[in-house]
Amino acid sequence: MPQPPYGQAPEATRTSMSPLLTVTGDTLVAVDFGPRTRSEGRRPPGPYRRLFAHRGARAFTIGNLIARLPMGMFSVSAVVMIAGSRGSYALAGAVTATGLAATALVAPWTARLVDRYGQARVAVPATLFAALGSLALLLCVRYDAPTWTLFAAYAATASTPNTGGMSRARWAHLLKGDAESLHTANSFEQAADELCFMLGPVLAAFLCGTFFPEAGTLVGVVLLVTGVLAFAAQRSTEPPPRGCTADANDTNVKSPLRAPGMPSLLTVCLAMGAVFGSTEVVTLAFADAQGHRTAAGAVLALQAAGSCAAGLWFGRLRLSGPPEYRYPWCIAAMTTLLTLPLLAASLTGSLLLLSAALLIAGMATAPTMITNMSLVQQRTPDGRLNEGMTLAVTALLGGIACGSAVGGWMVEHLSPTAGYGVPVTAAAAALVIALAAMP
């Protein structure tokens, strides 16, 4: 058989899909001229990329995030406006507390209408009414209206729909039957909550301090209305209203309050809200006692940042087993980590170490709330998902109010350091309730 010329590979080896072999000096060189595909070496898409690959998901999420950001702005803006013009933080606190109480009464009713008649049909007019309430409060403060008008105007903002609940309801409709993707969606939504409540107060304080006291409320109203209109315009991902699929007066549809397991979940939400409310008040008092009052917002933002990061990480996990058994473990981890701020405050008195302790403690918040909301979704009767999740949010708000009151009492009568025992106690109570409710 004749040999090929020096430096040339045998003919049989040189096919269109085979590498070209040649010799350079004493080295054999292989050159592959085969076609390349863009997918070679590419990692499969992560859970969040797969999540937002669904048609319409990005559009409704952007609108919802714009609408959700003001939720952390309005109360801070109201306090700045009222305290600045009337010189009374007590009055400002009473007005915002009245709005919170009104929200606890009105929000579940609004959510029930959303479930029955559809998100776009109810959320848009409810948002416009709430926006008018915020603008009325601004005008009452600006033009020195009687004190009672402040309470009435802020109470009108209670019609603001639960934008986070509506977004979760869309994911549940879009990902029906895909438990793994729904877990990722719930994790993203919880991380978004933490991010909005972290950035909202900071943005409000910046606007009110840099421009004029009413700037935070004005920007919040614009963001809320714009976001809800953009969100409601995405009709392709909107869950079908119950009124279109069943008789609106169907008495066989259970109230979420009477669904099995829901009362215990809502009670846990109440205790969890007490954790958040007391931590905020006690941290503000601790930073003030250390002479760093202006740093309190940044310290609390670190706790929210830890929760946000943990929520995104938790969404990437492939979890096994029912969430009922995972839930107490999450609360137990939260209870354990909440002892870190107490230890940092009592043993060192250092605001820097307290900040690190709150950052770590916050990492247990999102996994606990994600699991909680997953259980709420599972146990809420069909057709009343917005109402069920709004009840959970209402319980959280009630707990925040109670926790703020108890934390403030501890700070005033004992010390800010002792106040950090309140969130630990509230978390321990939530753990006992969750364990007692286990099947």
Side-chain angles (χ1 to χ4, degrees):
M1 179 178 178
Q3 296 297 318
Y6 178 77
Q8 187 173 345
E11 192 70 30
T13 66
R14 291 188 285 116
T15 66
S16 60
M17 299 300 293
S18 301
L20 173 65
L21 302 177
T22 187
V23 177
T24 303
D26 58 354
T27 304
L28 176 66
V29 180
V31 183
D32 187 3
F33 290 104
R36 296 288 187 272
T37 60
R38 295 179 62 130
S39 60
E40 283 184 9
R42 179 179 291 182
R43 293 182 179 179
Y48 290 104
R49 284 187 62 188
R50 292 196 302 270
L51 185 68
F52 288 103
H54 289 83
R55 187 174 182 179
R58 294 184 183 183
F60 85 72
T61 298
I62 291 172
N64 191 270
L65 289 177
I66 294 172
R68 209 184 308 187
L69 180 60
M71 296 302 102
M73 297 176 61
F74 284 128
S75 60
V76 173
S77 300
V79 169
V80 172
M81 279 197 308
I82 296 170
S85 66
R86 305 295 173 100
S88 173
Y89 278 97
L91 175 61
V95 170
T96 55
T98 300
L100 184 65
T103 301
L105 294 174
V106 175
W109 177 74
T110 304
R112 188 178 305 170
L113 294 177
V114 168
D115 283 329
R116 178 172 294 181
Y117 299 110
Q119 293 183 353
R121 189 175 175 185
V122 175
V124 172
T127 299
L128 293 177
F129 186 83
L132 290 176
S134 293
L135 293 176
L137 175 67
L138 185 153
L139 294 174
C140 290
V141 172
R142 184 77 173 177
Y143 294 102
D144 200 24
T147 300
W148 67 266
T149 62
L150 307 183
F151 290 91
Y154 203 69
T157 65
S159 66
T160 306
N162 178 12
T163 50
M166 290 193 298
S167 185
R168 288 177 171 91
R170 291 204 180 205
W171 285 121
H173 170 67
L174 198 61
L175 305 172
K176 190 174 294 183
D178 188 351
E180 184 176 331
S181 295
L182 186 58
H183 164 70
T184 303
N186 285 334
S187 300
F188 170 80
E189 291 296 328
Q190 185 61 40
D193 280 342
E194 299 293 344
L195 184 65
C196 290
F197 279 100
M198 178 176 65
L199 296 179
V202 176
L203 178 59
F206 170 77
L207 291 170
C208 294
T210 305
F211 300 101
F212 47 92
E214 298 85 2
T217 299
L218 279 176
V219 173
V221 168
V222 172
L223 290 174
L224 176 64
V225 174
T226 302
V228 170
L229 289 176
F231 176 79
Q234 310 304 315
R235 304 300 291 267
S236 63
T237 53
E238 182 179 354
R242 193 176 80 243
C244 294
T245 57
D247 182 12
N249 297 316
D250 186 2
T251 57
N252 294 323
V253 180
K254 275 186 190 176
S255 167
L257 281 172
R258 294 183 302 194
M262 280 292 284
S264 62
L265 276 178
L266 297 179
T267 307
V268 170
C269 286
L270 191 68
M272 296 289 290
V275 171
F276 306 145
S278 59
T279 300
E280 181 175 352
V281 170
V282 173
T283 300
L284 290 170
F286 185 87
D288 194 13
Q290 298 294 314
H292 300 286
R293 184 178 184 180
T294 56
V299 174
L300 290 170
L302 281 176
Q303 184 184 20
S307 181
C308 179
L312 293 174
W313 168 80
F314 193 67
R316 298 181 64 89
L317 299 180
R318 292 187 175 181
L319 304 175
S320 59
E324 288 86 354
Y325 295 102
R326 190 163 57 246
Y327 194 39
W329 287 103
C330 291
I331 301 176
M334 186 175 182
T335 305
T336 303
L337 292 181
L338 280 170
T339 61
L340 296 179
L342 176 61
L343 292 174
S346 58
L347 298 180
T348 68
S350 168
L351 187 61
L352 184 62
L353 289 178
L354 176 68
S355 302
L358 285 171
L359 174 67
I360 297 171
M363 293 179 180
T365 300
T368 303
M369 293 307 302
I370 291 164
T371 308
N372 178 281
M373 285 299 181
S374 297
L375 289 171
V376 169
Q377 289 182 18
Q378 288 181 11
R379 296 176 182 180
T380 299
D382 291 340
R384 304 190 75 162
L385 187 55
N386 281 293
E387 184 180 354
M389 288 188 291
T390 301
L391 285 171
V393 173
T394 301
L396 283 169
L397 292 175
I400 289 172
C402 294
S404 298
V406 175
W409 187 92
M410 291 287 288
V411 165
E412 186 173 341
H413 291 84
L414 296 176
S415 68
T417 299
Y420 279 108
V422 177
V424 178
T425 304
L431 178 58
V432 171
I433 296 166
L435 290 172
M438 284 187 67

